[in-house]
Amino acid sequence: MKRKSQDESRLPDNTAVKQQQLPAFRLQLSANEILSGFFATGVFCLGMGIILLLSAKSISEVEINYTEKCASCAKLREDATHFDKECNCSISFYLPQKMEGNVYLYYKLYGFYQNLYRYILSRSNIQLVGTDLKDVRKCAPFKTSENGLPIAPCGAIANSIFNDTIVLLYNFNSSTHIKVPMVSSETAWWTDKYVKFQNPTYQNLSSAFAGTAKPPNWPKPVYELDEEDPGNNGFINDDFIVWMRTAAFPTFKKLYRRLHRIGNFTEGLPAGSYSFIINYNFPVSRFQGQKAVVLSTLTWSGGSSLFLGLAYLVTGAVTLLASFSMMAIHLKLKERKTFFLQS
């Protein structure tokens, strides 16, 4: 019996699997099936676009830009020596129609670039999950204080947190002003609140942050962000978490509060006269930005953005146009083929 050579022993077995000789599925579609697929896709996208646009039109939204209306406070905030002075401004507006159902309060910024590469990287995810408060390696230029203490939370994102305080008043009549009840909880994403952000495991939160310093632009430390709700302090503060999720575009809005539907506001916001009382802290004049407050309702498809509806509408129209063009070409070629066969 002849012994196999060394080269022959390295060859794969002569089987269908090893030799890649298994039968493969080959998708073969007829012209009619391809045209039907294009047509169905176009009709679906066109229909979804129309539904989304109609849904967006049913949303009630009020936006009030208070950049110029609070110009005196903005001028005060330009001078860093006045950081400890409070400045409030009042903005009155009229709501012509009732905002039914759940109402959401947003703050909106124009010209604030949260998408800058170095800005996005200036944070410590290890610190934000409560593992190591002294891990500030990636937080330049806000890593340590003048005394050399690690900043918590560190980084440029945390240091630039939006810190205006917004209160909504319902002017029932000329002498009666009712504070609209708002809820600050459940404004952040669930994964952010319970996975990506965690406080250090200490019974006393202030003791947990001992040996750290607050960010330079913050008036108080992170464990004192919410005086009314002790459970909403530290890294799990909803306002802080919402701000830390950076926006992709320079104009963006972030959820600030939700309407607490009790008393006069069980069914939503009634039509009438309202006022915003704003404690002005966040400066925007230095980067020529603007600030606004937005009151809005939601539908099953989300907010009032027209982008998704227009995207579906354009995709559907282009797909239908392509299907009709291919159908015309197919019929023309089919007629030519029939003519040659008959001649």
Side-chain angles (χ1 to χ4, degrees):
M1 191 172 177
K2 212 170 185 180
R3 192 176 179 182
K4 286 186 178 181
S5 65
Q6 189 175 1
D7 292 336
E8 289 178 346
S9 63
R10 293 179 179 176
L11 294 175
D13 296 335
N14 189 21
T15 62
V17 176
K18 294 293 183 69
Q19 297 298 334
Q20 299 183 7
Q21 294 176 350
L22 289 175
F25 175 74
R26 185 177 180 182
L27 184 63
Q28 292 181 340
L29 296 175
S30 64
N32 291 334
E33 291 173 334
I34 295 173
L35 290 173
S36 299
F38 266 83
F39 184 78
T41 303
V43 170
F44 171 77
C45 291
L46 200 64
M48 281 297 297
I50 294 172
I51 292 172
L52 289 171
L53 288 177
L54 291 176
S55 176
K57 283 187 176 181
S58 66
I59 294 174
S60 301
E61 184 172 294
V62 177
E63 179 178 338
I64 298 174
N65 192 312
Y66 63 93
T67 309
E68 296 296 332
K69 295 178 180 179
C70 298
S72 58
C73 290
K75 189 174 182 180
L76 181 71
R77 285 288 169 262
E78 287 180 1
D79 190 348
T81 58
H82 298 153
F83 73 95
D84 57 340
K85 295 182 180 180
E86 287 193 2
C87 187
N88 298 322
C89 61
S90 177
I91 304 170
S92 299
F93 67 98
Y94 186 79
L95 194 63
Q97 294 181 347
K98 176 183 179 181
M99 299 182 76
E100 295 184 357
N102 296 324
V103 181
Y104 301 87
L105 175 63
Y106 301 84
Y107 59 85
K108 190 172 184 178
L109 293 179
Y110 293 86
F112 191 94
Y113 290 82
Q114 271 198 319
N115 56 358
L116 293 177
Y117 182 69
R118 292 183 63 186
Y119 181 86
I120 293 174
L121 293 181
S122 184
R123 61 186 291 166
S124 172
N125 291 324
I126 295 176
Q127 186 189 68
L128 293 174
V129 295
T131 304
D132 184 6
L133 296 180
K134 296 182 180 180
D135 183 71
V136 295
R137 292 169 295 174
K138 299 180 180 180
C139 292
F142 301 100
K143 297 167 64 174
T144 57
S145 65
E146 294 180 353
N147 299 328
L149 296 175
I151 296 174
C154 64
I157 307 175
N159 185 62
S160 62
I161 188 172
F162 182 86
N163 56 352
D164 282 3
T165 304
I166 304 169
V167 177
L168 180 61
L169 299 179
Y170 175 48
N171 304 323
F172 190 74
N173 52 48
S174 58
S175 59
T176 306
H177 307 285
I178 304 172
K179 183 179 178 180
V180 179
M182 291 286 180
V183 181
S184 61
S185 60
E186 297 182 11
T187 57
W189 289 23
W190 188 93
T191 51
D192 289 348
K193 180 78 174 180
Y194 298 101
V195 178
K196 296 183 179 180
F197 293 83
Q198 294 293 317
N199 281 329
T201 53
Y202 278 81
Q203 293 182 350
N204 189 346
L205 198 58
S206 60
S207 300
F209 286 92
T212 64
K214 67 178 181 63
N217 287 354
W218 286 30
K220 49 189 174 182
V222 68
Y223 50 85
E224 295 179 358
L225 290 178
D226 193 339
E227 297 177 356
E228 298 179 359
D229 183 7
N232 190 35
N233 280 310
F235 294 148
I236 60 173
N237 177 267
D238 281 81
D239 292 337
F240 172 68
I241 295 174
V242 169
W243 178 258
M244 291 298 290
R245 179 169 283 276
T246 54
F249 300 101
T251 298
F252 59 88
K253 64 180 182 180
K254 291 178 182 282
L255 184 58
Y256 182 70
R257 295 291 182 267
R258 298 181 296 112
L259 176 66
H260 191 195
R261 296 171 62 180
I262 57 173
N264 296 327
F265 310 97
T266 305
E267 298 180 358
L269 286 180
S273 177
Y274 290 85
S275 297
F276 278 118
I277 307 299
I278 299 173
N279 184 268
Y280 198 105
N281 296 304
F282 190 84
V284 294
S285 54
R286 288 187 178 181
F287 58 89
Q288 298 180 348
Q290 295 183 19
K291 295 189 290 186
V293 185
V294 179
L295 283 171
S296 178
T297 58
L298 296 180
T299 62
W300 63 272
S301 60
S304 61
S305 175
L306 301 177
F307 175 78
L308 190 60
L310 290 174
Y312 268 105
L313 204 65
V314 171
T315 303
V318 171
T319 307
L320 281 177
L321 184 63
S323 65
F324 286 127
S325 301
M326 288 189 293
M327 184 183 294
I329 296 171
H330 171 66
L331 293 175
K332 188 174 182 180
L333 291 176
K334 190 175 181 180
E335 290 176 0
R336 184 178 296 178
K337 184 178 180 180
T338 306
F339 174 77
F340 280 114
L341 290 175
Q342 291 177 352
S343 59

